[in-house]
Amino acid sequence: MSSPTKPQGFATRAIHSGRDKSDPHGSLTSPIYMTSTFEFDTAEQGGARFAGEEGGYIYTRLGNPTLNELEQKLAELEGAEACLTVASGMGAISSVFWSFVSPGDEILVDETLYGCTFAFFRHGMERFGITVRHVDMRDPENLTREISDKTRVVYFETPANPNMRIVDIKAISEIAHTKGAKVVVDSTYCTPYLQNPIALGADIVVHSATKYLGGHGDLMAGVILSSTEDMEQIRYVGLKDMTGAVLSPMNAFLITRGLKTLELRMERHCDNAEKIASFLEGNNKVEKVFFPGLPSFDQYELAKTQMRRFGGMIAFELNGGHDAGLKFLNSLELCKIAVSLGDAETLVEHPASMTHSTYEPEERARFGITEGLVRISAGLETADDILADINQALNYS
Ligand code: 7XF
């Protein structure tokens, strides 16, 4: 029996919360509102909806019941007042930034970022008169030194793609707020199951839902979570007018379906990643393993304070460096050579030539993305089968 005072568990909320119960047929799963527009009863009603005097849907770029149901659920899971779903992770990041920055502003971003996020800042925002500076956020003192009255947004990933650096969300948020800067955290690697940045002081959370939230490698999507006030700007400026990165209702339905098993999947991803990381650490062909769940990882203690478990991503370096890394990839049989992450299949990639090829080689060297680094997204397969494949591929590397 559930008691009214005891909060429901994550899996229960992932399955039940946000559900729109208005379907007249009692369908257990909600219908997909695969429509671009909504019919008004009268011209006056259309006008009133546009004027914000009457509720109700207008056009899917402004809102849609299938998207709305998913947004309610994700807001609840992340502990945010508001959620917006968009067409991709990059759509989420760009919709947030185009909502809040103007020429002359400065933004401080971490050193290690997903390659296209890095390109968005370096090759994108800088062209519009916005100063972008990189700060190694592993040490909050670096932010204290660099932040100024012009700093509008502080942005980082934790764990960072691809080298697994961890950023102290609480410490960074406190420093950023002394200057009135907004803190935006890309929590893609964790999902709301493993980490809740808003509870630790962050203002805005973004996810690439292409990854664990969708969970099956069959869609592109992004998620933004924030206060209701910030979301007004993000929804009605960033998304509506600036990026137009609208999520398809079909993909929203698939994510809602994927969320029903998020907890189960994340537990398995975490289990498999822990086994892979320990296995790699014990292998004499491996130089170094980057996984926050290993006691040898230099930020293990910090990771424990803000993550429920350590996630499904691992990076490692072989003794033979770059060439050994490529040989390892080419020798895999079960695991797939592919970018992306959070799928059922174990995916292995080489960041320097793939996801992080948007960095210049000297930027990679400066920001800790080594040329020999190999990244693994632990899938949901039987752990022994993954380990056997990694083991045989290491023999060739
Ligand atoms: O626009 P997308 O849905 O692909 O999301 C962009 C994105 C944002 N944040 C993080 C932490 C990400 O990892 C991504 C996408 N990363 C993929 C990867 O690293 O494999 C993209 C493949 S090129």
Side-chain angles (χ1 to χ4, degrees):
M1 280 245 304
S2 65
S3 113
T5 51
K6 190 164 185 281
Q8 291 181 321
F10 186 91
T12 307
R13 291 181 288 129
I15 293 166
H16 292 282
S17 64
R19 179 136 182 266
D20 178 353
K21 299 195 186 74
S22 62
D23 176 60
H25 307 293
S27 171
L28 181 64
T29 58
S30 299
I32 308 171
Y33 288 88
M34 203 68 196
T35 185
S36 48
T37 198
F38 297 81
E39 186 182 341
F40 307 128
D41 291 337
T42 61
E44 288 76 12
Q45 184 185 52
R49 287 193 187 175
F50 268 90
E53 293 157 3
E54 181 190 300
Y57 292 100
I58 298 173
Y59 186 64
T60 286
R61 181 155 40 76
L62 313 180
N64 171 291
T66 310
L67 273 55
N68 186 48
E69 181 169 342
L70 173 61
E71 288 162 358
Q72 301 293 322
K73 194 187 285 291
L74 287 165
E76 217 279 320
L77 293 177
E78 189 72 87
E81 285 177 9
C83 174
L84 178 66
T85 52
V86 292
S88 68
M90 290 312 300
I93 295 162
S94 53
S95 298
V96 166
F97 277 87
W98 293 131
S99 303
F100 294 112
V101 296
S102 308
D105 286 345
E106 168 188 88
I107 56 183
L108 298 183
V109 305
D110 201 2
E111 292 187 335
T112 314
L113 300 165
Y114 160 57
C116 293
T117 307
F118 177 82
F120 171 68
F121 292 131
R122 280 257 73 80
H123 311 150
M125 301 239 89
E126 287 236 304
R127 282 173 40 219
F128 296 90
I130 294 146
T131 304
V132 180
R133 288 195 291 128
H134 294 274
V135 176
D136 181 348
M137 304 231 187
R138 282 175 300 178
D139 182 357
E141 286 299 312
N142 293 335
L143 182 65
T144 306
R145 212 170 29 251
E146 296 294 328
I147 198 163
S148 77
D149 293 332
K150 285 189 176 168
T151 309
R152 200 77 177 92
V153 182
V154 170
Y155 183 92
F156 58 89
E157 300 169 1
T158 183
N161 184 355
N163 55 16
M164 308 304 294
R165 291 180 177 184
I166 307 289
V167 177
D168 185 334
I169 301 170
K170 190 160 177 280
I172 293 287
S173 300
E174 280 168 10
I175 297 163
H177 290 156
T178 62
K179 297 284 184 190
K182 283 192 196 302
V183 176
V184 182
V185 181
D186 183 332
S187 196
T188 297
Y189 269 31
C190 285
T191 81
Y193 180 59
L194 297 180
Q195 175 173 278
N196 301 116
I198 290 174
L200 297 167
D203 301 290
I204 299 173
V205 176
V206 292
H207 294 276
S208 166
T210 312
K211 315 292 159 48
Y212 295 105
L213 297 176
H216 297 77
D218 51 9
L219 59 89
M220 301 288 302
V223 174
I224 306 165
L225 299 125
S226 72
S227 66
T228 308
E229 192 187 342
D230 281 347
M231 195 56 82
E232 278 290 304
Q233 284 284 107
I234 301 168
R235 185 184 281 276
Y236 296 113
V237 178
L239 173 67
K240 179 173 85 63
D241 301 336
M242 304 298 278
T243 67
V246 184
L247 182 64
S248 165
M250 183 67 203
N251 286 348
F253 169 83
L254 289 173
I255 299 168
T256 300
R257 183 167 77 160
L259 289 177
K260 293 182 184 185
T261 55
L262 182 65
E263 178 174 322
L264 282 171
R265 290 187 287 107
M266 291 312 291
E267 287 290 335
R268 179 65 166 254
H269 284 299
C270 292
D271 286 345
N272 282 355
E274 284 172 15
K275 288 176 188 161
I276 295 168
S278 304
F279 176 81
L280 289 171
E281 193 171 47
N283 189 290
N284 59 15
K285 297 222 166 162
V286 176
E287 167 86 25
K288 195 164 171 48
V289 182
F290 302 89
F291 179 68
L294 287 174
S296 60
F297 184 73
D298 59 1
Q299 294 178 293
Y300 172 66
E301 291 301 328
L302 172 61
K304 276 202 295 189
T305 65
Q306 61 184 24
M307 296 171 74
R308 182 179 196 155
R309 289 190 70 187
F310 302 105
M313 299 299 295
I314 307 133
F316 70 101
E317 190 91 46
L318 286 164
N319 293 332
H322 174 270
D323 293 352
L326 294 199
K327 268 196 205 144
F328 171 76
L329 259 68
N330 287 329
S331 307
L332 290 165
E333 289 170 359
L334 175 73
C335 304
K336 305 299 171 205
I337 308 172
V339 297
S340 203
L341 52 114
D343 294 349
E345 296 81 1
T346 295
L347 307 179
V348 186
E349 67 115 8
H350 176 238
S353 65
M354 298 177 188
T355 49
H356 294 70
S357 54
T358 49
Y359 284 67
E360 295 297 330
E362 53 278 14
E363 289 171 330
R364 278 197 297 275
R366 190 148 55 96
F367 297 155
I369 304 164
T370 51
E371 299 301 304
L373 199 71
V374 172
R375 192 188 76 181
I376 301 183
S377 166
L380 302 175
E381 302 96 335
T382 308
D384 283 349
D385 295 330
I386 304 172
L387 297 181
D389 192 32
I390 291 175
N391 191 36
Q392 67 79 24
L394 283 173
N395 289 333
Y396 294 100
S397 60

